[in-house]
Amino acid sequence: MTASTVLVAGATGDLGRRVVRELLRQPGTLVRVLTRPGSGKAHAIFGGQERVEVHEANYTDRPALVAALAGVDAVVSAVSGARPVIVDVQRALLAAAVEAGVARFIPSDYSADYRRITPGSNRNFELRREFAGELDAAPLRVTSVLNGAFSDMLTGQAPMILFSRHRVLYWSAPDQILDFTTKDDVARVVALVALDGDAPRVVEVAGDRVSARTIAQTMTELTGTTFSPQWAGTTGTLLAMSKIGRRLSKDKGEAFPAWQGMQYFVSMFSGEAELRHVDNDRYGPQPWTSVRDVLEAHLLESGPAR
């Protein structure tokens, strides 16, 4: 790995900030933060930081984008959203990167393996798969980071653990392997990939690989109260429910509506999105955060489950 200039799109978001932080931990690395003109958020967060430059450009302004990317070695996309972002914004960013002569591009995947999912079963994954086709045709080196689901979701956004009822939900199979990685661990890997000129097309990592049954065992050990796996139906039933929810949804463009969360569970518990080639040692020994670590920290902060 050598000193590089890395541009981060979506740097003011949750994951983007973490990626910038990890890049700055690499000696000599220069970071460019891309922000829309007139938005003061990036300047407020990164203004005055050593080795960080803030560049303004609209994604619809091709010349401005190309200028912002001039001299950049790698682009890290950490943008988040539905089609207007995952496809349209990243398409503009990719085209500008090619024109500016950028060598490497890391798309905003950061997910389970979307490549084998059944068509119609997960909108957000299908958007990533659609954009992947354009990435594969582009004349630059692309690396997608696949990490399963964010471990942080287990303590709130993903209603899998029913803390007050002492249950852990599962669909179809309680022993299906589920891949989880914390945002901090993902950000570290993304920074290392951005500086790795030999990174392959896909880098798969998993901070932990668990099942609904082992999560229940972990919660039992941490709380001293018995947590049990609870069958919530089949993945087929859950998929049907998600399609109904999508049909009735008022905001079709929302990135993470409830029905999309159902689709994530369908992809995970069906086994279609399970990571098959995890390589946690690609960059040497790393301090991976386990699901147990995440749950223990949550319980210490919120108090014991009752």
Side-chain angles (χ1 to χ4, degrees):
M1 298 181 189
T2 57
S4 300
T5 298
V6 180
L7 180 138
V8 180
T12 61
D14 187 9
L15 182 61
R17 291 193 200 190
R18 299 171 199 247
V19 171
V20 171
R21 180 193 64 204
E22 293 298 327
L23 284 168
L24 292 176
R25 288 177 175 171
Q26 304 301 317
T29 301
L30 304 178
V31 179
R32 290 189 191 176
V33 169
L34 184 64
T35 188
R36 289 182 173 84
S39 173
K41 190 172 182 180
H43 290 283
I45 296 171
F46 303 109
Q49 283 196 40
E50 188 177 355
R51 294 190 284 135
V52 179
E53 298 176 352
V54 177
H55 287 247
E56 297 186 352
N58 281 316
Y59 289 103
T60 55
D61 188 343
R62 178 75 164 268
L65 271 181
V66 173
L69 289 163
V72 167
D73 298 294
V75 169
V76 171
S77 175
V79 296
S80 178
R83 172 172 291 279
V85 176
I86 296 302
V87 177
D88 299 338
V89 163
Q90 289 199 112
R91 179 183 289 145
L93 189 61
L94 175 63
V98 171
E99 184 173 339
V102 175
R104 285 171 284 120
F105 191 101
I106 302 172
S108 185
D109 286 344
Y110 320 124
S111 66
D113 193 343
Y114 55 79
R115 295 171 293 180
R116 290 185 303 274
I117 62 165
T118 300
S121 64
N122 191 314
R123 180 202 61 180
N124 284 5
F125 282 2
E126 290 183 71
L127 292 175
R128 283 162 170 77
R129 185 160 62 186
E130 177 183 339
F131 184 59
E134 299 187 31
L135 290 166
D136 290 337
L140 78 176
R141 195 176 189 112
V142 175
T143 300
S144 291
V145 175
L146 301 182
N147 50 259
F150 290 130
S151 309
D152 321 65
M153 295 172 61
L154 284 170
T155 60
Q157 189 174 356
M160 180 180 169
I161 303 176
L162 306 181
F163 290 91
S164 62
R165 292 174 57 188
H166 309 136
R167 296 288 187 271
V168 177
L169 299 181
Y170 71 89
W171 288 262
S172 290
D175 296 310
Q176 169 61 47
I177 295 299
L178 310 172
D179 303 296
F180 287 100
T181 312
T182 63
K183 292 177 182 178
D184 283 339
D185 285 349
V186 172
R188 185 180 66 252
V189 171
V190 171
L192 293 171
V193 168
L195 303 178
D196 180 4
D198 296 320
R201 177 63 181 84
V202 175
V203 170
E204 296 183 19
V205 295
D208 207 350
R209 313 193 78 186
V210 297
S211 68
R213 192 185 304 280
T214 60
I215 290 176
Q217 292 171 349
T218 297
M219 286 298 298
T220 298
E221 294 167 3
L222 290 175
T223 65
T225 300
T226 300
F227 274 68
S228 303
Q230 179 171 316
W231 186 72
T234 66
T235 54
T237 301
L238 187 61
L239 178 59
M241 291 173 59
S242 75
K243 289 181 177 180
I244 294 172
R246 183 176 187 178
R247 193 178 307 121
L248 298 176
S249 176
K250 295 181 180 179
D251 187 357
K252 305 297 184 183
E254 188 179 349
F256 299 104
W259 58 263
Q260 177 64 78
M262 295 179 190
Q263 291 189 340
Y264 274 108
F265 279 138
V266 169
S267 298
M268 294 175 69
F269 278 96
S270 69
E272 289 188 341
E274 182 182 341
L275 301 178
R276 311 287 179 175
H277 304 286
V278 172
D279 184 7
N280 283 359
D281 296 327
R282 176 174 177 82
Y283 299 108
Q286 300 290 323
W288 300 103
T289 307
S290 68
V291 165
R292 184 187 185 92
D293 294 333
V294 171
L295 295 176
E296 185 172 22
H298 174 71
L299 291 170
L300 287 173
E301 181 179 344
S302 62
R306 292 183 172 84

